[in-house]
Amino acid sequence: QVRLVESGGGLVQAGGSLRLSCAASGDIFSINAMGWYRQAPGNQRELVADITSGGRTNYADSVKGRFTISRDNAKNTVYLQMNSLKPEDTAVYYCNADGVTTVRARGNTYWGQGTQVTVSS
């Protein structure tokens, strides 16, 4: 079974930085894309950034220039470096792995449990 475990969330002051990590475990052969989503209270879940196995990235307009997504394919791990954080970035951040191939399945999507990021003003 595939499991995604996030880490790195926490409380930070406005203007500060955090680095989120998400490691996928299981009998994984490949993951087409990994990404980060976030959901604030009262809002719908939104894409923050994602990255393909080939390194192609895309970002939400609200985080461009401040956040950087990267991944280590060998470790099935994705990272989100968040700089110049704003109170508006406060949300639960969820890791996503899409197009996951394992020894028993292909093309499945998996989600992490979420990690809280709180930015104080």
Side-chain angles (χ1 to χ4, degrees):
Q1 298 281 64
V2 174
R3 180 173 60 187
L4 303 181
V5 179
E6 299 123 326
S7 62
L11 174 65
V12 66
Q13 294 181 337
S17 299
L18 286 173
R19 183 175 176 85
L20 305 183
S21 299
C22 172
S25 62
D27 294 329
I28 299 171
F29 180 74
S30 63
I31 303 173
N32 285 343
M34 301 186 76
W36 292 93
Y37 293 72
R38 67 186 182 187
Q39 186 168 18
N43 295 333
Q44 296 202 31
R45 185 177 60 187
E46 64 176 352
L47 173 69
V48 178
D50 61 18
I51 183 170
T52 68
S53 61
R56 182 178 180 180
T57 62
N58 68 86
Y59 298 89
D61 288 341
S62 60
V63 307
K64 287 180 179 177
R66 300 188 297 120
F67 292 9
T68 302
I69 190 169
S70 61
R71 66 186 283 177
D72 185 334
N73 291 333
K75 296 181 179 180
N76 290 321
T77 300
V78 64
Y79 307 92
L80 186 68
Q81 179 66 45
M82 304 185 293
N83 298 326
S84 301
L85 282 161
K86 305 175 181 179
E88 303 89 87
D89 296 317
T90 296
V92 177
Y93 284 69
Y94 297 92
C95 179
N96 171 267
D98 185 58
V100 180
T101 298
T102 70
V103 295
R104 292 183 288 185
R106 290 191 292 180
N108 288 163
T109 299
Y110 300 92
W111 292 92
Q113 79 286 351
T115 184
Q116 177 71 47
V117 172
T118 302
V119 184
S120 62
S121 60

